[in-house]
Amino acid sequence: MKRGVGLIIITLLAGNLYGQWECRSKLNAFLKPVGESNLMWGSELITSGGMLSNYGISNAMALLALDYSTSNSTFYFEGGYKYWNQTDFENKNIFSNNRWGIREALYSYNGNTLNFSVGLHSASLNDNFLLNERVLGASYSFRNDRWKLKTTVGTVSKDFARNGTFCSTCYLYDIIQDRSYNQIGNTLGESNLAGLTLSFLPGKKSIPQSTDDSEFSLDGFAPMEDNSSKKKFHVNEIGIASYTEFGDIITSNFLINGLFAKISLVGDITFVPEILLQSGENNNGLFSVLSLNKEYFWSNTHKSSFTFSYYGFQAFDENVVPLNRFSNLLAGEVLRLDVPETPIFLFAAKHTIPNIKTHFKIQYARSESTSTMSELDVQIGKIFFNRLQANLITGYIKSNLLTNENEAFLSRIELRLNF
């Protein structure tokens, strides 16, 4: 499995810029060999600028990656430099900063049925909710025709977390002061996690194969599915999940256990339900996660996709809140609604036109917690010369926690160039 690379020498654009919250990278599609060796490299520059109500927001980021792969093993490193800036148009106050950081540094083994990764890497489980984080630790997954096992253990620090100081721009969007954010450890060992999922694939024949994506999820496998089941009800996967967190800043011990499934419905609709029980001393509650997904392929090669998701939490004890902090739902471009703000509703629709490399997307996210918050985003994106991606996004944010008129407006353009 080949992974992206990139060295970054950054040129900051004048004006207001903004970078991706999740620090997404597309380097894996632009790897180049060094001579005739197994060493590969690539680079990416991200710049963007925009306005959020009375603020100008700016960010630029450059990433360098090195990849050395053999038939089953990969050594991968990715790091870079970032700059961010916020300008108050009314008071002319300017806040800016910059820093170096590491995004991933790992060893990965990829076999026919198993995958193992150790180091700083993107980690997830086979369910749809519990974990989506960059972890310094180890992940293992196994898959055959009938079973999938995945487990992760490690520590998370603000230096490299998805919502941390390097791969995040949350401070540029800090327009609501009284929000509850998940706390992340300042040093290694302060916030740690361990999780496992085991699922059964009823009636499905699949061929494990290596995959890759822009987030380097290191899942390692993708099924070759039987298309004959797609037009009728079919249970694709049913599994169990177990997850916990521990460390100096984890003041409440808890364990989350539950069930999840992936089901094909009539009309090529995929239904993904999940029920999870949070157990702890005076900290008991129930998560309900439901998602409906639909893809439609047009005769002219266009593609449309639709998603509706619900994330809910029912407390069994007084003053109980969700305790898991590394799900990273991040619903909405500005609000980035997360687990503390459940229940959350999310709707998204995207239309892709491959022949002109253009997409249109609309997304609506809403939290019905103690303080109602909602966000509507519209995005247009296009790829130029196979290396430059431009995204234009506008957003409308509404919340009674906003200081000015309970609403805010976002507009920004992002440019992403791969060398």
Side-chain angles (χ1 to χ4, degrees), residues 224-244:
M224 301 294 290
E225 297 186 15
D226 180 4
N227 292 329
S228 64
S229 66
K230 287 190 173 183
K231 293 186 177 181
K232 57 185 178 182
F233 179 88
H234 180 75
V235 178
N236 299 311
E237 181 176 351
I238 185 168
I240 58 174
S242 184
Y243 177 84
T244 190

Side-chain angles (χ1 to χ4, degrees), residues 24-277:
R24 289 191 292 270
S25 170
K26 295 184 179 296
L27 288 174
N28 55 325
F30 296 93
L31 292 174
K32 298 171 287 292
V34 177
E36 298 181 357
S37 69
N38 288 339
L39 180 64
M40 304 188 76
W41 74 279
S43 59
E44 185 173 80
L45 173 65
I46 308 138
T47 62
S48 64
M51 298 174 58
L52 178 59
S53 290
N54 296 323
Y55 292 89
I57 50 177
S58 307
N59 181 270
M61 192 169 193
L63 295 172
L64 161 70
L66 296 172
D67 178 290
Y68 184 86
S69 295
T70 61
S71 57
N72 295 108
S73 294
T74 294
F75 294 90
Y76 180 77
F77 170 86
E78 184 177 330
Y81 178 82
K82 69 179 289 185
Y83 165 87
W84 63 96
N85 179 82
Q86 185 184 75
T87 302
D88 185 334
F89 293 147
E90 293 182 351
N91 299 320
K92 306 299 182 183
N93 294 329
I94 298 176
F95 169 80
S96 63
N97 210 334
N98 62 85
R99 65 163 295 163
W100 296 89
I102 298 175
R103 183 180 180 274
E104 308 224 352
L106 64 112
Y107 165 77
S108 177
Y109 174 83
N110 304 282
N112 291 328
T113 58
L114 65 89
N115 171 274
F116 173 76
S117 299
V118 61
L120 177 56
H121 64 286
S122 297
S124 62
L125 298 172
N126 285 323
D127 74 315
N128 196 40
F129 171 71
L130 280 174
L131 178 63
N132 181 20
E133 186 55 274
R134 290 193 174 89
V135 175
L136 179 60
S139 295
Y140 171 84
S141 62
F142 169 83
R143 177 170 183 161
N144 60 22
D145 287 345
R146 291 291 184 265
W147 295 95
K148 288 169 63 177
L149 170 70
K150 198 165 188 179
T151 182
T152 293
V153 60
T155 185
V156 182
S157 164
K158 284 185 177 179
D159 288 334
F160 53 78
R162 288 192 189 278
N163 196 15
T165 55
F166 182 62
C167 283
S168 167
T169 54
C170 55
Y171 21 80
L172 295 182
Y173 286 158
D174 191 18
I175 58 175
I176 298 179
Q177 302 300 317
D178 297 327
R179 292 183 65 184
S180 297
Y181 290 99
N182 284 323
Q183 188 178 4
I184 304 174
N186 291 311
T187 60
L188 299 179
E190 287 188 335
S191 54
N192 313 298
L193 62 91
L196 177 147
T197 54
L198 176 64
S199 50
F200 176 65
L201 313 174
K204 177 191 289 186
K205 294 291 184 180
S206 61
I207 303 174
Q209 59 182 6
S210 295
T211 62
D212 202 358
D213 60 32
S214 62
E215 282 297 314
F216 301 118
S217 66
L218 306 182
D219 188 24
F221 308 104
M224 301 294 290
E225 297 186 15
D226 180 4
N227 292 329
S228 64
S229 66
K230 287 190 173 183
K231 293 186 177 181
K232 57 185 178 182
F233 179 88
H234 180 75
V235 178
N236 299 311
E237 181 176 351
I238 185 168
I240 58 174
S242 184
Y243 177 84
T244 190
E245 295 174 10
F246 53 96
D248 293 341
I249 68 169
I250 312 297
T251 57
S252 300
N253 296 325
F254 70 92
L255 184 64
I256 297 177
N257 295 304
L259 302 172
F260 64 93
K262 297 178 183 178
I263 303 169
S264 293
L265 305 178
V266 174
D268 292 341
I269 297 174
T270 301
F271 176 45
V272 185
E274 188 163 359
I275 300 295
L276 300 165
L277 177 64

Side-chain angles (χ1 to χ4, degrees), residues 15-26:
N16 303 311
L17 309 173
Y18 164 70
Q20 289 287 353
W21 174 292
E22 294 184 41
C23 189
R24 289 191 292 270
S25 170
K26 295 184 179 296

